[in-house]
Amino acid sequence: MSAKKTPKEKKPAAKKKSETVAEKASKKKAAAVAEKPASRKKAVAASEQPVARRMSSRTQFAGVLLPLFMFAIFVSAALLFFVQPMFAKMVLPRLGGTPAVWSVAMVFFQTVLLAGYAYAHFITKNLQGRQAVMVHLAIMAIAILFLPLGIASGWTKPPASGEAFWLLGLFTVSIGLPFFALSANGPLLQAWFARTDHPAAKDPYFLYAASNVGSFLALLAYPFVVEPLTRLQQQTFGWSAVFIFLIVLLAGCGYLIWNTKDLKQAKAEAGEKTDKPAWSDAVVWIALAAIPSGLLIAVTSHISTDVAAVPFLWVVPLALYLLTFVLVFSRFAPYVHQIAVIVQPLCIAALIASQVFEGFDSIFWILTIHIAAFFSTALVCHGELARLRPAPAHLTEFYMWMSAGGMLGGIAAALIAPQIFNWVAEYPILIVLALLCRPGWVWPTGRYSAVFWILLALVAAAALAPAFGYKVPLLSDLAPGNYTYMKWVIGILLVVSILLSFDSVKYAYVIALCFLTIKAYENIDSRTRFTERSFFGVHKINDSYDRRFRVLLHGTTIHGAQRILTNDYKPYVGRPELTTYYYKSAAIAQAVAQARVNKKGPITYAVVGLGTGTLACHKMEKDQVHYYEIDPTTIRIATTPQRYGFSFISQCAPDAKITLGDARLTIADAPDGIYDLIVVDAFSSDAIPIHLMTKEAIEIYKKKLAPQGILVLHISNRHLELASVVAGVGAANGMVARTHNTVDDDDEVNDDDYKFSGTVTALVKKPDDFGAMNEAKHWKDEPVDPTQWVWTDDYSNVLGAMIRHSRGY
């Protein structure tokens, strides 16, 4: 393209030459100007070629982008929830099956989860996409060095003190890095996805629902599918293979975001508001996450101790807890949240009514009410949490604070509350706090607010007055009797609570008043003498309805009873009467007698599980008895008759040796061949310590038995069939089994006198060592079931035991 010439006058020849030079320069400049648009187009086209190739590449993989990210998040979350019960199961035989182990393990998992979220936030904030991918893939690759998972060498036996810190160290050294790396995957993958040009990347929080679906399915699969069908070694190798496969998935996700920009920069260019969240936002997120997390532990503790100790019952609240995250981060979240806000007051009202009014006797309905109240409450809190989430640019920070709240709630409910309260007081407290999280929280102000609070204070005084011995004029006459009065008060308060449910502060106040009223009236004419709480649960010491017996309950299970009045209601004096499962003709009493025959003289016997110490009263002169007990509270109850009223130990065996600690560990320190009889009485509760009845545990007991010694396991259980399990582990150690099932035709069985029927399985080295038990009533050989796998430290099948029990085995 050339410039157009204009007519010019003739000039002298010399000047023409200089003009020709200028003209040439002018022409060159004009040509450059004229050609600039074309060159710009060429330059832009050249610069757009890599972008076009990248766009073509993204277009090529557009169909797999979202499925790949969702699948990677799903697999990562499933691995995370598999490793928790799997590794805890590895540790139990070494450290003992105590609730403290599970509590410390929970603290470890929640703390490392927070660390993983903080790491994800750090690299997302400070590194570009490809840098973050390289760093995280490197950490995942280093974690392979810890596979297959197992207990680190050098961590053999816990110290005499500081077991909790020792356990935290064991978990950190053994699985700390793999768990840390997995913890970061959820927020990292969501942040990476937000950097893509996918239409759904504008709001990647829906991927959190996919994460919780993986957790949910893993939670259900482990106890019901994986544990019954595989051994620990198979589980660890399978887990390791999936972990390596996950690295491949992460690498694929990283490839797809390799050339993307920084998340904040990309959103800023798009014009999206990315203001940094304030500290007040972080506090709200922490609270909304902490309360449901603590409530999860509280409701599980309450229903397992005060309602029913059913195996796998803990799965239901946890599964519903995860389900709430799936719902509130789904596309239907607004509708779900509105429904939850409406339904929650009805569920809370039903929860309180079930504690006061008749018609709620069915355990099924009680459990349903508690779980429904928990589910609706968690759904409201998590709905508010999802509603207040920040822009995707601050996604990792949001998850970090949310994880911090979950950790704080778990620590408060699992570790702090048992040290402060002697009952599960955190349950109603957390419910009231959760009600304050309902939408529309506003502290009452205005002209009539003071009048309203004064009115509520008068209502509180009227509700609580009779519990402290004061009568309320007119109201007491309308509803004579403390309990009738309480029912009227609670009924009125529940109606008022539903009417005030739109105002979270007033609503929470009324519900708190309901809980206080119920607790205050519980102390009126109560049969409960003492309540003690430890890591191992809630111990209640009650008097029987007719006041003839003092009873020790651990949750809902009777752990001992002592007669304090005769049948004509006179004080009982003398040697304590043998009760519960240890009366004179009971199966355990027969085993004690046979041990004496085999020994032909005084015996030395060990008892795993102290209870009230009833078995001490089977001790005869020159006998020696040795107890192994894990709970110091139980020891205090059994050895302090002046306070608690149980005198089996003090009257029958004041010289009994009591060893504190997990029996699996402590009995191993006893000399071999020392015991003529070992009674393992740790299975009367419905939550069994599996590590005390595996092949390896029976091997330890067998070493401690004398040549003709007898091993007795009390396996009465409302949900599990364990006789065939004991026969299997016994046969694996070269022992034979006989089982005694007491039925109602036994003359001494009488529930009113606290003498119960039960199931006991005995193991001996040779059949002749059973002696009279071979011919005694109700004893039968326990055959080995060849279709059952032997329970070991590597394998157990509680689900199978439940199915056999349901079928009447």
Side-chain angles (χ1 to χ4, degrees), residues 591-606 618-626 655 673-677 706-709:
V592 174
Q594 186 59 46
R596 286 199 178 90
V597 173
N598 292 349
K599 180 68 179 292
K600 298 180 178 62
I603 62 172
T604 299
Y605 64 100
H618 279 283
K619 178 180 181 295
M620 298 180 67
E621 189 178 359
K622 296 184 179 180
D623 284 348
Q624 295 183 22
V625 58
H626 188 172
D655 58 345
I674 188 175
Y675 297 124
D676 303 296
L677 172 71
Q708 289 185 288

Side-chain angles (χ1 to χ4, degrees), residues 656-697:
K657 182 180 178 182
I658 303 175
T659 299
L660 176 65
D662 186 88
R664 171 74 183 267
L665 303 173
T666 53
I667 201 171
D669 296 330
D672 291 347
I674 188 175
Y675 297 124
D676 303 296
L677 172 71
I678 298 176
V679 179
V680 182
D681 190 14
F683 307 106
S684 56
S685 172
D686 296 304
I688 63 172
I690 294 172
H691 72 293
L692 294 181
M693 58 182 309
T694 62
K695 174 186 173 183
E696 293 81 356

Side-chain angles (χ1 to χ4, degrees), residues 244-562:
I244 294 172
F245 174 65
L246 175 63
I247 296 178
V248 177
L249 294 178
L250 293 175
C253 294
Y255 172 77
L256 294 179
I257 63 131
W258 190 252
N259 293 303
T260 56
K261 297 180 179 181
D262 176 70
L263 181 61
K264 288 185 179 180
Q265 180 183 348
K267 298 302 179 186
E269 290 177 356
E272 182 178 320
K273 186 178 179 180
T274 58
D275 293 339
K276 181 177 177 59
W279 279 105
S280 58
D281 297 322
V283 171
V284 171
W285 296 337
I286 289 173
L288 289 172
I291 292 171
S293 175
L295 190 59
L296 168 66
I297 295 175
V299 71
T300 304
S301 176
H302 175 75
I303 62 180
S304 62
T305 58
D306 295 332
V307 180
V310 180
F312 303 127
L313 189 60
W314 60 270
V315 171
V316 178
L318 183 54
L320 293 176
Y321 176 81
L322 295 173
L323 183 60
T324 61
F325 284 113
V326 175
L327 294 174
V328 301
F329 284 98
S330 70
R331 66 178 65 181
F332 308 108
Y335 307 104
V336 170
H337 190 45
Q338 290 176 7
I339 293 172
V341 170
I342 295 171
V343 171
Q344 185 192 24
L346 302 177
C347 294
I348 298 298
L351 174 67
I352 294 173
S354 68
Q355 301 179 47
V356 176
F357 300 104
E358 290 80 9
F360 297 93
D361 299 328
S362 169
I363 289 180
F364 171 79
W365 286 114
I366 294 175
L367 288 175
T368 301
I369 290 170
H370 280 280
I371 290 172
F374 163 72
F375 180 63
S376 61
T377 301
L379 203 56
V380 170
C381 292
H382 289 158
E384 285 294 292
L385 190 64
R387 186 177 65 84
L388 298 174
R389 64 184 183 268
H394 304 289
L395 175 148
T396 53
E397 182 179 0
F398 170 69
Y399 284 132
M400 181 182 69
W401 292 122
M402 189 174 73
S403 176
M407 182 191 71
L408 293 174
I411 291 175
L415 301 182
I416 298 176
Q419 306 300 320
I420 299 175
F421 307 115
N422 64 356
W423 60 290
V424 191
E426 64 272 19
Y427 185 29
I429 291 173
L430 286 167
I431 287 178
V432 172
L433 291 176
L435 299 182
L436 292 173
C437 297
R438 290 171 61 84
W441 191 96
V442 178
W443 187 257
T445 57
R447 183 181 303 177
Y448 300 105
S449 62
V451 176
F452 180 81
W453 287 111
I454 292 173
L455 180 61
L456 286 182
L458 292 175
V459 172
L464 297 172
F468 298 96
Y470 299 99
K471 288 188 176 182
V472 181
L474 297 178
L475 293 177
S476 298
D477 297 331
L478 290 174
N482 288 326
Y483 286 106
T484 304
Y485 181 88
M486 180 190 69
K487 291 176 183 178
W488 275 92
V489 169
I490 294 297
I492 294 171
L493 289 176
L494 290 180
V495 173
V496 172
S497 71
I498 294 176
L499 296 176
L500 291 177
S501 60
F502 64 90
D503 187 323
S504 60
V505 176
K506 296 172 184 175
Y507 178 45
Y509 176 87
V510 174
I511 294 300
L513 183 56
C514 289
F515 284 123
L516 286 172
T517 303
I518 293 171
K519 189 62 181 176
Y521 280 85
E522 279 184 2
N523 298 323
I524 300 176
D525 196 31
S526 174
R527 298 182 300 110
T528 301
R529 298 301 179 186
F530 299 97
T531 302
E532 300 279 352
R533 187 178 183 186
S534 67
F535 274 130
F536 308 93
V538 177
H539 304 266
K540 290 183 180 179
I541 300 172
N542 294 348
D543 287 346
S544 61
Y545 287 102
D546 57 10
R547 311 290 178 173
R548 292 185 301 133
F549 291 88
R550 181 139 309 163
V551 184
L552 171 64
L553 294 101
H554 183 257
T556 59
T557 303
I558 295 175
H559 276 212
Q562 182 166 345

